[in-house]
Amino acid sequence: MAKYDASRSEPKWQANWADRKAFAADNDDPRPKFYVLEMFPYPSGRIHMGHVRNYTLGDVVARYKRAQGFNVLHPMGWDAFGLPAENAARAQAIHPAQWTYANIDAMRGELKRMGLSLDWDREIATCHPGYYQHQQRLFLDFMDAGLVRRAKSWVNWDPVDGTVLANEQVIDGLGWRSGAPVEKRELEQWVFAITDFAEDLLESLETLDRWPERVRLMQQNWIGRSEGMRVGFSLAGRDDTLEIYTTRHDTLFGASFMALAANHPLAMSVGAADPKAAEFIAECQRSGTSEAAIESAEKQGYDTGLRAMHPFIEGKELPVYIANFVLMEYGTGAIFGCPAHDQRDLDFANKYGLAVVPVVGPSDQDPATFTLGSEAYVGPGKMINSDFLDGKTIEDAKAEVAKRLSEAGVGNIENNYRLRDWGISRQRYWGCPIPVVHCPDCGIVPVPHSDLPVVLPDDATFDAPGNPLDHHPTWKHVDCPDCGKPAVRETDTLDTFVDSSWYFARFCSPRDDSPVDRKAVDAWLPVDQYIGGIEHAILHLLYSRFFARAMKTTGHLDTTEPFAGLFTQGMVCHQTYKDDAGEWLYPEHVRFGDSGAATHGETGRPVTIGRSESMSKSKKNVVDPGAIIDRYGADTARWFMLSDSPPERDLEWSDAGAAGASRFLQRLWKLIEEGVDGLPDPGTGMPDGDVPDAVATLRSATHRTIAKVTEDIEQLRFNVAVAKLYEFTSQVAEAPKTLDESPLAAWARREALESLTQLVGPMMPHMAEEAWALLGHTTPLTETPWPEFDPVLAAEQTVTVGVQVNGKLRGTLHITPGLGEAEVRKLALDQDRVKLAIDGRAVRKVIVVPDRIVNVVV
């Protein structure tokens, strides 16, 4: 081929890999294992550029590790349950299964066009009974181990759709799909006891040293361990007490009010007797339950008329409010408000004219004159206005308060967690059925293992609101497995996060008759490199960590951490466009003139160019991967995804960048094709004789490039590896100008061209296979070991060392690596610019950091 033809080569090599099962993992392979996994996709019907980037990153790792001699597991599956399929069923009068499997077929074909080195024999779909029957088995095993519970919790309820909504699905108090006012309801639901592992989940984050620090911090904050006190406040005129949980018991002398969550039992009892309180509670229940919604809402309260007695200040009564910013799910659902040292409390106190008493003051300010403005003081300091605590540090004050409250029998030290048990009930059809039966006589009865799977009915209808399983005429009616009397199945299905919380284990033995084959999971787990978006940093990853612990408890696994290494890639972004009517436009509908002005391709009307944002269908700033592959080929798309920016950062898609990647591919192909002539046969040993400087230079460049690209791929610095390959390609292209026609020179050219082909192989696999064959090899590149480098040849010939005088750069040295300290010191002090900077002053010290920097102190 005078020009590389991706449309011919890519299908050819994809068929070759499939026929040879080149990427099939063998559970019995004696080689060391490496398990690389990208977060599996939801089958929406089309792959997008985010998929291309995610799976390209993982594929480079998989191909590289396979060439390194590892037995690589690199599987693919589909996170296939979920509400979009059910919505499609309602809107298009099509069964969710039909919609889902058609999308899977389409996306599988698109992913295969990318040339991914996937073991398709291990493909799974979470909506297939062959997968979810084992999930049902795990549910029952978890139930036997006490890790499944029934619990009452407050949820967002859409009365029109008849289902629980996540906080993110409540928009301005309305259901995201129905537009109906959302209610807060207390429902009894199924939960997984993730809180049983709260402390272990928190402490084990320290062992995940190959996870991004920000992900570990996000999980730490989500688990939210706090050390505080549970304190009981007596209620004036009543025999009961109001219990609160606080982490700032040092500020008790600054308390000016108490606040209850709207669904606190005491608030509900007040509402039962007070219509205005009931109205306020109802208003609170129409708002979102997320912390973000609560924080952004105006702080409001209702004075119940109840008064709580201060535990230290005799006779001081604190008004008890029902407040819209207190969560029943955290602590006890009640707080004491200290406005001086909590911004939320301060806003509330200012709104209702409550006292603001500072009780912590900066150590460098006079307590008598310390005042607050519009912001609460949350910094360090000493206790003030606090009777027996005055002058103490915050920590000492906490200890003293804890001692006195404990001795009085009204308080005790308690650790609390923000983490709550995982609610897994969903009132939807397209999900994994929960394998229990409700019997009037026997209560909740697990479905026997022999009766699994509990399969979804094929004839469900979607013409009525709510859960189709609830109004199915026959499916839910069944005899009790214990007593044989008429009973009903559980009609809630499992949260789709459950499906994705153990799929990594199923891939190890995807056709086994049990959820996992212990030998297989013990051999493959943990996943060595997991790759996916930062948006899954908390829930998916936390739930998977819980599942590993639960499966270890039930004997299915021997590991508690499923992912040894985690990499979170950035988003793929593109400019946004709007027409003159303010409607979003797809990039292909926009034309650019010579001046750079944008117009509509059909109407010629002006187009406004907006900022670059993450590609999304809603803003139409998407690029179709299929169109890019049709135009340039998969290797070009892969190369651009790796080359443009560090993989952990957002990537700006540009047509010019893709075209540039294509030009480089063609340049590389031309270099190899034109360089084949005159090369010795593959496998020929290096000829004897003296090595000319030009040959030595080319060989050093070759081995340095192997060393650096190897290191960069190991560290997932793909863009740095690409930059080095650009540089090396230029060096190989220039080499013939200095090389003679000797056998030694020809041998060095083959070494360089072969190494270059192998190094780009994980990134441009189709072109690399074509080039490898062109270089005369009969063994495919996928079966060829990774090139090794000679440490002597790979060593840098010189290093650049900066020379500073009193911390300011005054010169540079180009020296042999490892040169002795005395020689480096002499060379530094002999430099003219350094002498000028010293200016005759005495040199007090010369600090030499080998191969990096020299600092002269005068």
Side-chain angles (χ1 to χ4, degrees):
M1 292 182 289
K3 182 179 180 182
Y4 176 74
D5 185 357
S7 66
R8 182 179 72 83
S9 288
E10 292 185 352
K12 178 183 76 174
W13 287 109
Q14 289 164 15
N16 176 282
W17 296 330
D19 290 344
R20 292 190 295 108
K21 291 190 178 295
F23 311 124
D26 183 353
N27 286 1
D28 296 321
D29 193 313
R31 294 176 299 169
K33 69 94 177 180
F34 193 90
Y35 186 176
V36 56
L37 180 66
E38 305 92 355
M39 295 179 185
F40 64 169
Y42 179 79
S44 59
R46 301 289 297 273
I47 68 169
H48 53 69
M49 282 299 176
H51 291 131
V52 174
R53 192 180 198 195
N54 189 26
Y55 300 131
T56 297
L57 298 180
D59 198 52
V60 171
V61 175
R63 288 177 176 273
Y64 163 74
K65 287 294 183 180
R66 200 174 283 112
Q68 284 273 1
F70 287 86
N71 179 28
V72 173
L73 174 57
H74 186 209
M76 177 57 67
W78 311 95
D79 193 7
F81 273 137
L83 196 55
E86 208 160 322
N87 290 342
R90 296 179 192 276
Q92 304 173 28
I94 185 173
H95 194 278
Q98 183 181 348
W99 183 85
T100 301
Y101 284 116
N103 288 348
I104 287 175
D105 289 342
M107 290 181 68
R108 184 192 300 111
E110 290 182 314
L111 289 179
K112 286 186 175 182
R113 290 191 68 196
M114 287 178 58
L116 302 172
S117 60
L118 294 164
D119 184 352
W120 283 104
D121 288 344
R122 294 175 183 255
E123 181 182 7
I124 58 176
T126 60
C127 66
H128 192 282
Y131 181 85
Y132 69 71
Q133 68 171 323
H134 300 295
Q135 187 163 294
Q136 292 172 344
R137 170 66 184 269
L138 290 175
F139 178 94
L140 297 176
D141 290 347
F142 290 3
M143 180 182 283
D144 288 343
L147 297 174
V148 177
R149 301 169 183 159
R150 293 281 281 173
K152 287 187 176 181
S153 61
W154 288 87
V155 297
N156 302 310
W157 179 260
D158 187 318
V160 172
D161 280 348
T163 188
V164 171
L165 300 180
N167 290 323
E168 294 74 18
Q169 295 171 321
V170 180
I171 302 172
D172 296 329
L174 306 178
W176 68 292
R177 203 175 69 85
S178 70
V182 170
E183 306 167 0
K184 281 200 182 76
R185 284 192 183 181
E186 189 177 32
L187 296 182
E188 188 172 44
Q189 299 200 93
W190 292 101
V191 301
F192 280 149
I194 191 172
T195 55
D196 286 8
F197 300 99
E199 189 63 28
D200 183 47
L201 288 166
L202 183 63
E203 290 184 352
S204 296
L205 288 171
E206 295 299 318
T207 69
L208 300 176
D209 54 2
R210 291 180 51 227
W211 280 40
E213 179 59 32
R214 66 170 177 161
V215 174
R216 294 194 292 175
L217 182 60
M218 291 166 74
Q219 289 217 359
Q220 177 182 320
N221 291 338
W222 188 264
I223 296 169
R225 184 180 189 271
S226 59
E227 299 177 359
M229 286 201 77
R230 181 181 288 258
V231 183
F233 284 75
S234 299
L235 294 171
R238 296 169 60 115
D239 294 332
D240 52 343
T241 60
L242 174 59
E243 287 196 339
I244 61 97
Y245 175 79
T246 178
T247 60
R248 291 301 307 269
H249 36 290
D250 55 301
T251 64
L252 267 170
F253 281 95
S256 63
F257 68 93
M258 312 294 291
L260 309 172
N263 46 357
H264 190 283
L266 184 56
M268 301 299 284
S269 68
V270 171
D274 182 346
K276 290 185 177 180
E279 183 180 337
F280 179 78
I281 292 170
E283 179 64 29
C284 291
Q285 291 178 342
R286 284 191 287 270
S287 63
T289 61
S290 72
E291 290 185 46
I294 289 172
E295 283 299 319
S296 61
E298 180 186 0
K299 307 303 179 282
Q300 295 182 328
Y302 179 83
D303 190 343
T304 63
L306 298 174
R307 297 295 180 263
M309 308 307 298
H310 196 286
F312 292 136
I313 305 175
E314 188 173 354
K316 182 173 182 177
E317 296 184 350
L318 304 173
V320 180
Y321 285 82
I322 303 169
N324 68 343
F325 60 86
V326 181
L327 286 170
M328 189 63 207
E329 289 75 23
Y330 182 76
T332 66
I335 66 164
F336 79 83
C338 179
H341 305 293
D342 184 288
Q343 190 62 44
R344 180 189 57 184
D345 294 351
L346 181 59
D347 294 343
F348 187 83
N350 289 337
K351 180 179 179 69
Y352 292 102
L354 301 171
V356 179
V357 180
V359 291
V360 179
S363 299
D364 59 352
Q365 291 194 31
D366 184 352
T369 59
F370 175 62
T371 57
L372 290 170
S374 60
E375 294 186 4
Y377 180 70
V378 295
K382 301 283 188 175
M383 304 307 300
I384 60 176
N385 302 320
S386 297
D387 195 12
F388 56 84
L389 298 177
D390 284 349
K392 292 182 182 293
T393 65
I394 291 173
E395 290 307 313
D396 286 346
K398 285 183 177 180
E400 183 63 25
V401 168
K403 175 177 175 292
R404 296 196 181 209
L405 291 179
S406 297
E407 289 175 350
V410 295
N412 56 278
I413 296 291
E414 183 177 287
N415 293 331
N416 211 332
Y417 297 90
R418 180 178 177 273
L419 183 67
R420 291 291 170 264
D421 278 340
W422 172 12
I424 54 175
S425 294
R426 296 295 181 266
Q427 295 72 38
R428 296 170 187 156
Y429 165 79
W430 195 234
C432 173
I434 296 175
V436 300
V437 170
H438 298 270
C439 174
D441 293 338
C442 306
I444 294 174
V445 181
V447 172
H449 292 174
S450 59
D451 290 346
L452 299 180
V454 177
V455 180
L456 291 168
D458 291 332
D459 57 346
T461 58
F462 301 88
D463 50 356
N467 182 357
L469 296 178
D470 253 345
H471 50 70
H472 192 281
T474 59
W475 180 84
K476 67 179 180 180
H477 299 290
V478 65
D479 291 338
C480 172
D482 281 356
C483 69
K485 294 180 180 178
V488 293
R489 294 190 188 278
E490 173 63 69
T491 57
D492 284 355
T493 54
L494 289 172
D495 177 13
T496 54
F497 271 113
V498 177
D499 311 334
S500 59
S501 291
W502 72 285
Y503 78 112
F504 56 87
R506 185 64 183 167
F507 274 137
C508 299
S509 50
R511 307 295 175 251
D512 200 80
D513 292 336
S514 298
V516 295
D517 173 75
R518 270 302 300 266
K519 181 182 177 183
V521 292
D522 288 350
W524 285 114
L525 292 180
V527 174
D528 296 281
Q529 187 62 65
Y530 197 38
I531 301 173
I534 191 70
E535 67 273 17
H536 299 296
I538 298 176
L539 295 184
H540 163 61
L541 292 170
L542 190 63
Y543 292 158
S544 296
R545 296 179 67 216
F546 158 75
F547 243 82
R549 285 160 172 76
M551 291 176 73
K552 183 173 183 179
T553 301
T554 55
H556 293 290
L557 296 182
D558 191 36
T559 183
T560 55
E561 290 299 342
F563 312 120
L566 172 68
F567 187 84
T568 54
Q569 87 281 1
M571 308 294 284
V572 182
C573 303
H574 197 291
Q575 281 185 317
T576 52
Y577 308 103
K578 281 187 176 181
D579 62 18
D580 54 356
E583 297 295 324
W584 299 106
L585 293 174
Y586 287 106
E588 60 263 31
H589 294 159
V590 181
R591 299 291 180 267
F592 293 91
D594 294 338
S595 65
T599 58
H600 195 293
E602 295 179 359
T603 67
R605 302 284 297 173
V607 168
T608 301
I609 302 175
R611 67 181 182 180
S612 177
E613 298 187 39
S614 174
M615 288 187 183
S616 69
K617 291 180 181 178
S618 62
K619 295 182 179 177
K620 298 186 177 179
N621 63 332
V622 294
V623 175
D624 177 17
I628 297 300
I629 293 174
D630 288 341
R631 183 176 180 183
Y632 297 116
D635 283 348
T636 291
R638 292 167 62 112
W639 185 259
F640 178 74
M641 286 294 174
L642 296 166
S643 64
D644 198 57
S645 66
E648 67 273 14
R649 297 182 188 170
D650 290 348
L651 179 149
E652 180 68 26
W653 176 268
S654 71
D655 293 340
S662 179
R663 287 193 298 272
F664 173 74
L665 183 150
Q666 293 296 342
R667 177 189 171 204
L668 183 57
W669 172 255
K670 182 179 179 181
L671 173 66
I672 296 169
E673 186 183 48
E674 293 181 351
V676 168
D677 290 341
L679 297 183
D681 291 338
T684 301
M686 182 178 176
D688 295 331
D690 294 335
V691 179
D693 288 346
V695 171
T697 298
L698 178 58
R699 294 206 68 212
S700 292
T702 298
H703 285 261
R704 283 199 302 273
T705 303
I706 296 171
K708 289 185 175 180
V709 171
T710 300
E711 180 185 3
D712 289 334
I713 294 178
E714 286 282 357
Q715 300 298 321
L716 308 184
R717 298 191 300 253
F718 303 113
N719 63 308
V720 180
V722 165
K724 186 60 186 174
L725 289 168
Y726 273 119
E727 178 186 342
F728 183 50
T729 300
S730 297
Q731 292 171 319
V732 176
E734 291 294 317
K737 297 178 182 178
T738 60
L739 294 174
D740 56 28
E741 298 300 322
S742 67
L744 195 57
W747 187 91
R749 286 201 307 273
R750 170 170 283 282
E751 181 186 44
L753 289 171
E754 286 189 352
S755 298
L756 180 57
T757 301
Q758 289 178 277
L759 294 175
V760 301
M763 306 169 189
M764 298 181 178
H766 309 87
M767 192 281 293
E769 286 279 20
E770 198 75 50
W772 194 246
L774 186 65
L775 286 164
H777 291 277
T778 56
T779 300
L781 188 58
T782 51
E783 297 177 11
T784 302
W786 190 253
E788 296 182 359
F789 62 89
D790 184 326
V792 175
L793 292 174
E796 294 287 351
Q797 304 302 307
T798 62
V799 293
T800 301
V801 174
V803 181
Q804 296 179 339
V805 177
N806 289 346
K808 292 186 177 181
L809 185 67
R810 298 300 186 185
T812 56
L813 299 174
H814 300 285
I815 61 175
T816 303
L819 190 64
E821 185 173 328
E823 292 91 338
V824 174
R825 173 191 170 107
K826 183 177 184 304
L827 289 170
L829 294 175
D830 283 345
Q831 285 203 315
D832 290 340
R833 289 184 61 201
V834 173
K835 291 177 180 178
L836 187 64
I838 293 174
D839 194 25
R841 292 173 290 176
V843 175
R844 292 190 293 147
K845 187 186 299 183
V846 178
I847 303 169
V848 177
V849 180
D851 297 340
R852 293 183 60 187
I853 199 165
V854 179
N855 193 15
V856 180
V857 182
V858 296

